[in-house]
Every structure is written in C-alpha cells, then in structure tokens.
Amino acid sequence: MLEKLKLEVIDAGKKLKEYKLITLTGGNVSGRDLETGYIVMTPSGMEYDTLTPDDITVTDLDGNIIEGKRKPSSDLKTHLQIYRAKKDINGIIHTHSTFASCFAVLKEDIPVISTTMANEVGGKVPLSKYAPVGSDELGEHIIEKIGDQKAVLLESHGVFTYGENVSHALTAAVMLEDSAKVYYLTRTIGKPEELPEEEIKRANELVIADIELDFQN
C-alpha cells in the first residue's frame, strides 16, 4: 500500500542524514496520500539507511494503524495534529539540525537575511513555545505559528518543516539549516540586516509560481 509515498519518505530520511541534518535515529519524516488521506511515517528507533517499505507505518488521521509492523515515531501525534489543521500541508519533516537548533535553544526567531531563505523557506522562522514531545500542546503551539513560511522552531528542541509534499518539506529543511548557518556566522562578525518585506514576498512568489507550474504539468 502506498509504495511510492513510502519510498519518498525513506529517500527524504536518507537525504537528511546525507546533508547532516540528523544523527543516528533522530528526526522523522511523514507524507500524506491525497487520495486516501492516509499518513505514511518513519518508524521509531531505526536508522534511515536500514529502512525498507515494510518498516514504514501507515495510519489514518486519528492515528489508527492501517499498515506496518513497526512502532510509529513518537512525534506521530504532532504530525497528525498538523495534517488535520492544515489541508495544504502534505509533507512534514522534524530535525535537530545544528544551526537552526541553536536559535531554538536561544529562544530566538530566525529572520530572513538572504534571498535563498526567502525563496525556499518563505519568511521569518518563528519560535513556538516549549512543550513535551508527544503532548497535545506541542502540536498546538506549532500550528499557532504556521503561516506563509515553511518552518517553525521548537523552543529548546529543534525544527519542523513542511510543504505541499515531502520533497518541498525536505527542501525547506535543507535550506533553513543553510540559512541558519549563514545567519549564525554573520552574527559573529557583524550585524546582519533583514530583507525588506517586499523582497521576501517577491522571492517567495517566484517559487510558488514554479510549484504551481509543477502541479499543472
């Protein structure tokens, strides 16, 4: 069932490791199937290099297991909360990527200081309030901060990125970490300036237009 989406989720997990956004079994990836509404998600406690489609869990939006022999990720509840609240989100990734997580620990938003971040992340990445992993409050705090941008920082924890599909959520995770690194390093030698709102909007609209064209094709 949903073999193509399972392979997309596994591939995204492997790329997170390749881009050094996760270590060992950290983080998780999920995708929503548009036809059935089912959620495909990485299991708990397994490294991505070892995953096969049989290891991937399929659930409905209430968390009932439809298929899979493994225990779902401990963040399943949070992913499901986001999917139920946001019909336009069909891919979610959670990481503890180093530079972005620095600002989560500092309890700071990450501003847009480059066109790259404006393109691929879509705007300032806000900080959501702290809540324990797996709690209802964690998902609620993330949802409160979801706007036009494709990422939210989790206070004292890590990062959630999301998008129209798994691929877009992965791109946001990779480019957010790259942008967070630039912001971090820039702050060590000077005071970075935020891009004007009109430039952020202009850069993001270019990417949105490309996404819409992809869907049409």
Side-chain angles (χ1 to χ4, degrees), residues 157-204:
H157 187 168
V159 183
F160 262 74
T161 63
Y162 39 85
E164 294 82 1
N165 54 41
V166 175
S167 177
H168 290 147
L170 174 63
T171 298
V174 173
M175 299 314 298
L176 170 59
E177 179 64 2
D178 190 58
S179 298
K181 182 177 181 180
V182 170
Y183 180 52
Y184 178 97
L185 293 173
T186 303
R187 279 180 47 167
T188 68
I189 58 176
K191 184 177 180 180
E193 292 187 11
E194 296 184 43
L195 280 183
E197 283 297 326
E198 60 270 20
E199 288 304 312
I200 296 172
K201 182 179 179 182
R202 191 198 316 274
N204 189 233

Side-chain angles (χ1 to χ4, degrees), residues 80-91:
L80 294 177
Q81 285 176 281
I82 295 171
Y83 285 126
R84 288 195 295 265
K86 301 293 180 180
K87 306 302 182 186
D88 57 334
I89 290 177
N90 299 301

Side-chain angles (χ1 to χ4, degrees), residues 52-88:
T52 69
D54 288 341
D55 296 314
I56 302 301
T57 302
V58 180
T59 74
D60 62 20
L61 282 174
D62 294 320
N64 299 307
I65 295 179
I66 306 300
E67 183 178 83
K69 59 185 181 181
R70 303 290 185 184
K71 179 183 177 182
S73 168
S74 59
D75 285 310
L76 174 63
K77 178 187 286 188
T78 302
H79 286 238
L80 294 177
Q81 285 176 281
I82 295 171
Y83 285 126
R84 288 195 295 265
K86 301 293 180 180
K87 306 302 182 186
D88 57 334

Side-chain angles (χ1 to χ4, degrees), residues 14-208:
K14 290 179 178 179
K15 286 180 177 174
L16 290 177
K17 183 175 181 180
E18 176 186 340
Y19 292 124
K20 303 186 187 309
L21 303 188
I22 59 168
T23 55
L24 298 175
T25 63
N28 39 69
V29 182
S30 74
R32 178 180 5 212
D33 177 62
L34 296 181
E35 184 175 340
T36 63
Y38 290 160
I39 306 304
V40 171
M41 188 166 192
T42 51
S44 177
M46 292 188 69
E47 293 197 38
Y48 296 94
D49 288 343
T50 68
L51 293 180
T52 69
D54 288 341
D55 296 314
I56 302 301
T57 302
V58 180
T59 74
D60 62 20
L61 282 174
D62 294 320
N64 299 307
I65 295 179
I66 306 300
E67 183 178 83
K69 59 185 181 181
R70 303 290 185 184
K71 179 183 177 182
S73 168
S74 59
D75 285 310
L76 174 63
K77 178 187 286 188
T78 302
H79 286 238
L80 294 177
Q81 285 176 281
I82 295 171
Y83 285 126
R84 288 195 295 265
K86 301 293 180 180
K87 306 302 182 186
D88 57 334
I89 290 177
N90 299 301
I92 299 173
I93 287 176
H94 171 48
T95 76
H96 310 120
S97 56
T98 302
F99 287 94
S101 294
C102 283
F103 294 100
V105 171
L106 286 171
K107 302 177 177 55
E108 294 184 19
D109 299 341
I110 300 178
V112 181
I113 63 166
S114 69
T115 55
T116 300
M117 183 169 170
N119 286 145
E120 304 298 348
V121 183
K124 177 182 74 174
V125 179
L127 179 77
S128 67
K129 292 187 293 185
Y130 176 80
V133 173
S135 66
D136 289 338
E137 291 78 13
L138 181 61
E140 291 166 2
H141 293 337
I142 293 171
I143 291 165
E144 287 173 0
K145 294 296 183 177
I146 292 177
D148 293 332
Q149 87 292 349
K150 294 182 174 65
V152 171
L153 298 178
L154 314 182
E155 183 179 318
S156 302
H157 187 168
V159 183
F160 262 74
T161 63
Y162 39 85
E164 294 82 1
N165 54 41
V166 175
S167 177
H168 290 147
L170 174 63
T171 298
V174 173
M175 299 314 298
L176 170 59
E177 179 64 2
D178 190 58
S179 298
K181 182 177 181 180
V182 170
Y183 180 52
Y184 178 97
L185 293 173
T186 303
R187 279 180 47 167
T188 68
I189 58 176
K191 184 177 180 180
E193 292 187 11
E194 296 184 43
L195 280 183
E197 283 297 326
E198 60 270 20
E199 288 304 312
I200 296 172
K201 182 179 179 182
R202 191 198 316 274
N204 189 233
E205 285 176 347
L206 290 174
V207 175
I208 291 173

